[in-house]
Amino acid sequence: MNGAEALIKCLEMQDVEYIFGYSGGAAIPIFDAIITTKTKIKMILVRHEQGATHMADGYARVTGKPGVVLVTSGPGATNTITGLITAQMDSVPMIVICGQTISPMLGKDAFQEADVFGISLPVVKHSYLVKETEDIPRIIHESFHISNTGRPGPVLIDVPKDISSAEAEFDLSPELDLPGYSYPSYGDTEIIKEIAKALGKARKPLLLVGHGAVLSKADAVITKFAETLNCPVVTTVLGKGAFPETHDLSLGWLGMHGTAYANKAILECDLLFSIGSRWDDRIVGKLDEFCKDAVKIHVDIDPAEEGKMVVPDIFCCGDAKLVIDELTGYCKKLDIDDWVAKCMKFKKDFPLRAPVVEGKLTMQEILKELDRLTDSNVPVSTDVGQHQMFAAQFMKTRKGFDWMSSGGAGTMGYGFPAAIGAAFGRPNEPVIAVCGDGGFQMTMAEMATAAIHNLPVKCLVLNNSYLGMVRQWQELFFDNRLSGVDLEGNPDFVKFAECYEGAKGFRITKSSEVTKVLKEALAYNEGPCVIEAVVDKTDNVYPMIPSGAPYTKMLLEAPTEKLEKPTGST
Amino acid sequence: MTDKNHTISIFVVNKPGVLMRVAQVFSRRCYNIDSLVVSSGFDDRFARMTITAQGDAGNLDQIKKQLSKLVDVMHCIEHDDSNSIIKEMALIKVGFKLTQRAEILQIVEHFACKTVDMTNNSMVIQATGDSAKLDAMIELLRDYKIIELVRTGKVLMARGDSET
Ligand SMILES: Cc1ncc(C[n+]2csc(CCOP(=O)(O)OP(=O)(O)O)c2C)c(N)n1
């Protein structure tokens, strides 16, 4: 057995179903081993390595299992960097295996040599450059262990071609050698009791549930916890599904473009309990005014999140599911009916609005209808921009692992390939990708990948002929000086889809067509489709809290006076 | 917050890349590493890093946590004079005219250092001790001609039962 064959055997042992890959010189031995080992693992040939990483990411976000990527050295490896940072920022488990030039040529500017170990260091949870063929099994098993325990993240393995080609005797289940690696599980019972006490004293408590809760599969436990307390819940954009958004106690998601009712509740709460959220800057706005007088509690599996942004009154390091399960045992229904009623009133008084305007097709009305037709019960991915925010607002998520969006990195080009990866991971379900015309064009070459495998991926392209989100900022903060945002020259997206065998194109141009066309597209499950919706060009996303501003500055609609330049980053 | 000097001891698994990972935790947060000493411990599977760095004290806590989180880091502890012994060594090559030689040797003797090389116009002084002592001595030697100066950077060990 050679190194490459041992590598494939170990992937099998890790229950890998798919490898998203793109081959090349330095990776040929590993691609060869996919054949010589007669493995059951299926190799999915993508059209660009970035697409492979987002597919692996989407696969991981809907299954909870690490997605696996295999690429060649040099440009193949560097094309994975965007996908790595996307996964790293959102704590997504992923394994990226790169071919590399032969060991004796390392450091000699050999053909297609890139120091990908060095280049990727800041965007991985961990990484390896394999030096001995015999180490391959240990490194593969360690990588999976690191990638999907504690706070998950991507692991990169760089495999020189001589190492993968060499024959050796292998121990395929060696002991892991990770003396410096550990991760929390149960929380400290004393601290958990302290949290229960603080909750008991609160008059206006609010739960803030993040991606960590999804990753720890805590959705059922959190639902029971919220119901036990009878406490309202907001989630982060990535926490969507950790608590059903269809639940009475759900206030949707908070932050820059979050629901007005979530943001109003944030302004008024006297206790905010973060479960697996990292208090991202698009959530806290102005840090020193964020919930200034509220008691803050934070549960996180990552000890380094303690006090990184918000300094909590109580911090409990541990796995969300285990901590909340234990905590529920110490809690009972809170006497806060007034507060709950107030939150319900926020919901009624400041609803999300999907205006139907004569002669104008809006993203909101389409997404709202799509949500209705799918009963909020399909895996949904988004790209990045205005459509992402509207999708997050209008596509409700009922359970964990149904929502994919690049929250931390904000990677355009993510949505479509992520949905393809998800369709592999959840083979009997249609998957929806909501994209802008800008972001879709970044990775739309993956239509080939979706078409070849007849995947029922429904890609809704909300075409406003602009880089809409940037145009919105230019309108609001730069006196509407539009610079570099006009997507003049867009292709015909329907024709684009139909030039792939088995793919279909649909188009919506006016409000009266929305239901009919969406139904047709949802009924087409023999292959991928693009639903192009030609929407209003100059609509903006509200509510909006300008970046770096306090929650009191939330805009529910277009401002009547000129806004100050935002003080936050982006 | 004002920038302050911090001395941190990091016990790591002796694996390739660990130094780069550690350095990145500092540089990403705009910390400047002043001195860095790395060597394997008595068990060569592990290595010890002693790092002196300057930066915003508010960031330091985050840096320590991020360091502890690295897969190859066993532990990471901040130290100061009160709980640990912190020493460094310097080699100082001083040029002199013959008339100055006795004066310089007096300084060497005063600081309980020694000369490890001598020619008729230069000597190399080996100085060991607290950084403050080394600073003071170097200050005095500025009256002569310091040709080259090499300092090891700080190494430290926790006192008594405490772990370094
Ligand atoms: C790779 C990448 N480049 C640039 C950006 C900056 N950016 C954020 S949103 C956006 C506009 C997206 O336009 P589009 O995909 O058409 O979606 P829309 O906002 O119009 O819904 C841009 C350029 C980004 N997030 N990612």
Side-chain angles (χ1 to χ4, degrees):
Chain A
M1 197 187 302
N2 66 24
E5 289 165 331
L7 185 153
I8 297 295
K9 288 272 172 220
C10 292
L11 294 183
E12 260 180 13
M13 291 164 73
Q14 291 290 342
D15 289 329
V16 172
E17 298 176 281
Y18 295 102
I19 295 173
F20 300 98
Y22 208 93
S23 87
I28 293 177
I30 307 176
F31 279 84
D32 190 45
I34 294 173
I35 308 233
T36 57
T37 55
K38 301 194 173 68
T39 180
K40 298 190 303 288
I41 302 174
K42 291 182 233 25
M43 216 304 290
I44 307 300
L45 177 63
V46 301
R47 291 301 181 267
H48 187 293
E49 290 87 352
Q50 181 184 351
T53 57
H54 297 329
M55 285 179 209
D57 179 310
Y59 174 89
R61 288 198 213 212
V62 300
T63 62
K65 287 163 57 179
V68 178
V69 174
L70 173 61
V71 298
T72 192
S73 63
T78 57
N79 274 347
T80 66
I81 298 296
T82 303
L84 282 167
I85 194 169
T86 306
Q88 170 79 350
M89 292 288 267
D90 290 349
S91 312
V92 176
M94 182 190 291
I95 309 287
V96 174
I97 301 165
C98 304
Q100 178 57 287
T101 187
I102 53 173
S103 324
M105 288 304 289
L106 283 172
K108 296 183 180 159
D109 305 322
F111 178 66
Q112 290 193 333
E113 180 193 358
D115 176 10
V116 69
F117 181 87
I119 292 170
S120 65
L121 271 178
V123 295
V124 295
K125 182 171 176 186
H126 197 58
S127 47
Y128 293 90
L129 169 59
V130 188
K131 299 211 165 122
E132 307 285 344
T133 303
E134 290 79 0
D135 289 343
I136 286 177
R138 178 181 52 78
I139 287 174
I140 296 290
H141 295 307
E142 284 181 5
S143 298
F144 276 81
H145 178 66
I146 292 168
S147 176
N148 210 15
T149 51
R151 179 177 185 166
V155 176
L156 179 136
I157 311 169
D158 201 16
V159 193
K161 190 174 179 178
D162 54 324
I163 301 290
S164 56
S165 308
E167 296 284 330
E169 293 286 321
F170 293 98
D171 172 0
L172 290 178
S173 339
E175 265 191 46
L176 307 189
D177 179 23
L178 296 168
Y181 182 68
S182 63
Y183 52 91
S185 61
Y186 287 94
D188 181 324
T189 297
E190 286 315 305
I191 300 178
I192 294 175
K193 285 184 174 161
E194 214 185 306
I195 297 176
K197 237 198 221 149
L199 281 166
K201 280 195 226 147
R203 310 297 308 156
K204 296 187 273 182
L206 193 57
L207 306 184
L208 161 55
V209 184
H211 198 206
V214 174
L215 292 164
S216 110
K217 303 187 169 73
D219 39 358
V221 171
I222 285 175
T223 305
K224 183 170 165 224
F225 177 57
E227 286 173 350
T228 304
L229 296 172
N230 189 36
C231 180
V233 180
V234 301
T235 73
T236 65
V237 176
L238 291 192
K240 271 168 73 75
F243 183 75
E245 287 186 293
T246 43
H247 197 290
D248 278 347
L249 287 169
S250 167
L251 298 178
W253 53 281
L254 82 168
M256 184 181 283
H257 292 296
T259 62
Y261 36 95
N263 291 345
K264 296 239 173 222
I266 286 286
L267 263 178
E268 287 217 13
C269 69
D270 69 353
L271 182 149
L272 186 59
F273 182 6
S274 159
I275 305 166
S277 147
R278 60 186 171 84
W279 314 100
D280 168 76
D281 50 322
R282 281 194 157 186
I283 288 177
V284 299
K286 193 163 191 310
L287 185 57
D288 47 10
E289 284 185 36
F290 179 74
C291 293
K292 206 164 64 192
D293 301 318
V295 173
K296 289 172 215 88
I297 305 173
H298 187 180
V299 171
D300 208 296
I301 199 159
D302 180 355
E305 287 301 335
E306 178 182 5
K308 188 186 79 179
M309 292 286 291
V310 162
V311 179
D313 298 281
I314 308 174
F315 181 81
C316 177
C317 192
D319 177 88
K321 185 173 167 183
L322 299 175
V323 171
I324 300 304
D325 196 31
E326 183 177 347
L327 176 59
T328 309
Y330 306 129
C331 291
K332 57 178 196 309
K333 182 170 181 302
L334 300 174
D335 182 15
I336 53 166
D337 291 354
D338 291 355
W339 167 240
V340 176
K342 188 159 197 189
C343 289
M344 294 308 120
K345 192 158 180 318
F346 286 150
K347 237 169 138 170
K348 221 172 105 234
D349 293 349
F350 305 97
L352 287 168
R353 276 181 299 202
V356 183
V357 185
E358 181 62 28
K360 219 164 112 170
L361 183 62
T362 66
M363 297 194 191
Q364 298 92 304
E365 64 182 303
I366 299 165
L367 291 162
K368 195 174 171 190
E369 183 61 2
L370 183 57
D371 182 55
R372 190 183 71 84
L373 293 172
T374 54
D375 197 23
S376 316
N377 218 354
V378 279
V380 176
S381 77
T382 77
D383 212 83
V384 171
Q386 292 183 314
H387 63 279
Q388 174 189 32
M389 296 298 113
F390 283 134
Q393 289 177 353
F394 288 93
M395 302 294 289
K396 305 295 177 201
T397 314
R398 287 177 188 270
K399 56 183 195 298
F401 298 94
D402 266 1
W403 174 253
M404 298 156 270
S405 195
S406 171
T411 303
M412 282 173 73
Y414 171 82
F416 181 48
I420 295 174
F424 281 113
R426 303 258 290 265
N428 299 315
E429 297 171 59
V431 181
I432 288 172
V434 180
C435 298
D437 45 321
F440 180 58
Q441 290 185 70
M442 286 198 169
T443 46
M444 67 182 183
E446 301 305 342
M447 185 56 83
T449 317
I452 290 164
H453 298 280
N454 305 314
L455 301 175
V457 170
K458 294 153 200 324
C459 187
L460 174 63
V461 178
L462 295 169
N463 180 4
N464 54 8
S465 298
Y466 271 127
L467 296 174
M469 186 57 97
V470 180
R471 190 205 51 74
Q472 173 168 349
W473 277 53
Q474 292 177 344
E475 178 189 327
L476 294 180
F477 306 119
F478 292 83
D479 303 318
N480 204 28
R481 284 186 298 279
L482 302 191
S483 175
V485 291
D486 193 339
L487 288 177
E488 195 180 316
N490 270 342
D492 177 329
F493 290 108
V494 173
K495 270 195 196 151
F496 165 77
E498 299 207 323
C499 73
Y500 290 88
E501 204 179 308
K504 249 187 163 24
F506 299 91
R507 182 175 283 125
I508 308 175
T509 54
K510 47 182 188 278
S511 301
S512 59
E513 296 169 347
V514 172
T515 308
K516 183 175 148 279
V517 176
L518 287 180
K519 274 189 178 161
E520 273 169 33
L522 289 171
Y524 178 69
N525 287 315
E526 289 70 50
C529 68
V530 167
I531 311 151
E532 183 195 3
V534 184
V535 296
D536 183 42
K537 289 184 72 159
T538 54
D539 214 357
N540 289 336
V541 185
Y542 296 102
M544 176 176 191
I545 302 171
S547 134
Y551 272 59
T552 47
K553 294 270 155 75
M554 175 170 67
L555 299 163
L556 291 175
E557 53 196 23
T560 46
E561 42 197 275
K562 189 169 151 43
L563 296 176
E564 280 170 35
K565 284 237 169 86
T567 53
S569 65
T570 49
Chain B
M1 253 177 272
T2 49
D3 287 2
K4 186 178 158 252
N5 249 309
H6 305 277
T7 311
I8 298 166
S9 173
I10 313 169
F11 192 48
V12 301
V13 187
N14 209 345
K15 292 247 177 92
V18 61
L19 178 58
M20 281 161 81
R21 290 185 217 275
V22 166
Q24 228 158 39
V25 170
F26 286 91
S27 64
R28 225 191 116 181
R29 293 170 181 81
C30 302
Y31 256 63
N32 201 10
I33 293 182
D34 289 331
S35 84
L36 165 70
V37 182
V38 190
S39 62
S40 61
F42 75 102
D43 176 347
D44 63 12
R45 287 181 306 146
F46 300 99
R48 178 80 66 184
M49 297 185 184
T50 311
I51 293 182
T52 322
Q54 263 187 54
D56 177 41
N59 264 338
L60 187 73
D61 197 41
Q62 187 45 218
I63 286 180
K64 285 189 285 185
K65 286 176 188 158
Q66 294 293 350
L67 287 170
S68 308
K69 218 169 90 175
L70 292 174
V71 169
D72 288 334
V73 168
M74 303 294 291
H75 68 244
C76 141
I77 304 172
E78 187 182 5
H79 295 270
D80 59 39
D81 294 338
S82 65
N83 60 14
S84 47
I85 304 142
I86 305 181
K87 299 284 179 202
E88 66 174 313
M89 188 179 100
L91 294 172
I92 312 155
K93 190 184 285 176
V94 186
F96 54 80
K97 300 196 193 80
L98 272 180
T99 52
Q100 296 173 316
R101 189 170 66 184
E103 287 170 29
I104 298 173
L105 287 173
Q106 253 182 356
I107 296 175
V108 172
E109 196 180 339
H110 174 80
F111 284 97
C113 300
K114 60 181 182 179
T115 55
V116 288
D117 186 46
M118 182 85 76
T119 68
N120 60 5
N121 58 9
S122 77
M123 68 174 93
V124 176
I125 302 165
Q126 175 187 318
T128 322
D130 301 342
S131 303
K133 165 179 148 182
L134 266 51
D135 292 343
M137 175 167 168
I138 291 162
E139 204 44 49
L140 286 182
L141 290 172
R142 281 188 202 282
D143 289 344
Y144 309 91
K145 187 175 170 219
I146 298 179
I147 300 167
E148 278 179 325
L149 172 71
V150 178
R151 289 171 83 142
T152 55
K154 291 174 185 171
V155 293
L156 67 84
M157 183 165 281
R159 292 180 189 273
D161 292 337
S162 310
E163 201 173 11
T164 302

